[in-house]
Amino acid sequence: TADTNKKHCNLKVVLLGDSSVGKSSLAARYIVGKFQKSNATIGAAFMTKNIQLDDNKDVTLELWDTAGQERYRSLTPMYYRGTDVAIIVYDITSPISLSHAEDWIEELRSYVDTERRSDLRIILAANKSDLLEEGYKQPEELRNNKFNDFVVVSAKTGEGINILFEGITNNIPDEM
Ligand code: GDP
């Protein structure tokens, strides 16, 4: 039957970035608000959302939030282990948080197993777009190949949230 052919996969997505850039707010905005057919569970380490991709495939997205540990740069190896997608968040009104974005990428790469590094997807999310009146452009210094995608978002207004997460769930490799 169609059911026995059904494919299921788990996708581990971690949020990284300085304290107060809006990681928890983005997680809440996505988990609580987006898909109608979703089951959101607030757990100690991560939240999950079940997404029906098409008739034959569904995905459980595990969204990991730092729970404030990033303040002391003390994220544990377990936080990084098995990451499929990392969302590096910075606050567009905080140049310091932007300047730390690459440090977070380096730290992430240092923890992810060598053989998985080429599969790792890194997305840079510029949060709090509602705080700027004009459109926000990708900063010059970020025009390099250290990440796969760049998305401007606002956890407050919801701008870019669908683009960010649909970009993740629509780009799951076939072998998963
Ligand atoms: P975290 O420490 O990275 O998890 O950041 P939080 O989610 O706790 O957010 C830090 C602060 O920024 C809180 O006061 C949020 O209300 C605020 N914040 C988060 N996202 C946005 C946003 O998109 N726009 C605005 N204006 N404020 C935001």
Side-chain angles (χ1 to χ4, degrees):
T1 66
D3 268 349
T4 54
N5 292 326
K6 219 168 167 175
K7 272 188 157 182
H8 177 83
C9 72
N10 286 300
L11 198 70
K12 177 171 175 176
V13 181
V14 298
L15 286 160
L16 293 171
D18 286 3
S19 186
S20 298
V21 296
K23 298 179 298 299
S24 298
S25 302
L26 288 170
R29 169 59 96 162
Y30 174 64
I31 297 286
V32 179
K34 192 186 148 194
F35 292 97
Q36 287 179 320
K37 284 190 209 164
S38 72
N39 293 315
T41 319
I42 309 293
F46 59 83
M47 295 158 266
T48 65
K49 186 151 177 155
N50 295 317
I51 299 148
Q52 189 75 42
L53 288 180
D54 56 44
D55 289 347
N56 300 312
K57 193 166 184 180
D58 70 311
V59 55
T60 298
L61 189 146
E62 279 182 8
L63 184 59
W64 290 60
D65 187 19
T66 57
Q69 293 302 309
E70 77 285 9
R71 202 163 303 152
Y72 313 102
R73 283 292 167 108
S74 61
L75 297 179
T76 60
M78 199 189 86
Y79 188 80
Y80 294 101
R81 191 174 301 135
T83 295
D84 296 298
V85 181
I87 303 172
I88 316 274
V89 186
Y90 73 91
D91 173 347
I92 60 172
T93 67
S94 161
I96 291 173
S97 75
L98 167 60
S99 73
H100 289 161
E102 289 198 6
D103 300 340
W104 284 108
I105 293 176
E106 293 309 316
E107 172 147 319
L108 167 72
R109 288 195 175 280
S110 76
Y111 277 100
V112 171
D113 296 338
T114 326
E115 66 271 21
R116 298 191 81 249
R117 268 180 213 159
S118 56
D119 297 332
L120 181 67
R121 287 186 57 219
I122 300 174
I123 298 164
L124 196 62
N127 189 36
K128 309 197 186 180
S129 65
D130 58 282
L131 295 178
L132 288 189
E133 284 180 9
E134 305 119 53
Y136 180 74
K137 288 215 185 72
Q138 184 169 344
E140 217 39 72
E141 64 263 40
L142 293 177
R143 292 178 199 280
N144 60 35
N145 294 323
K146 294 217 166 115
F147 49 89
N148 302 90
D149 270 313
F150 176 81
V151 187
V152 178
V153 295
S154 167
K156 187 172 179 181
T157 64
E159 185 198 347
I161 304 291
N162 286 1
I163 293 168
L164 173 61
F165 286 97
E166 279 170 11
I168 291 172
T169 54
N170 290 340
N171 286 295
I172 297 171
D174 281 343
E175 61 272 19
M176 274 189 81

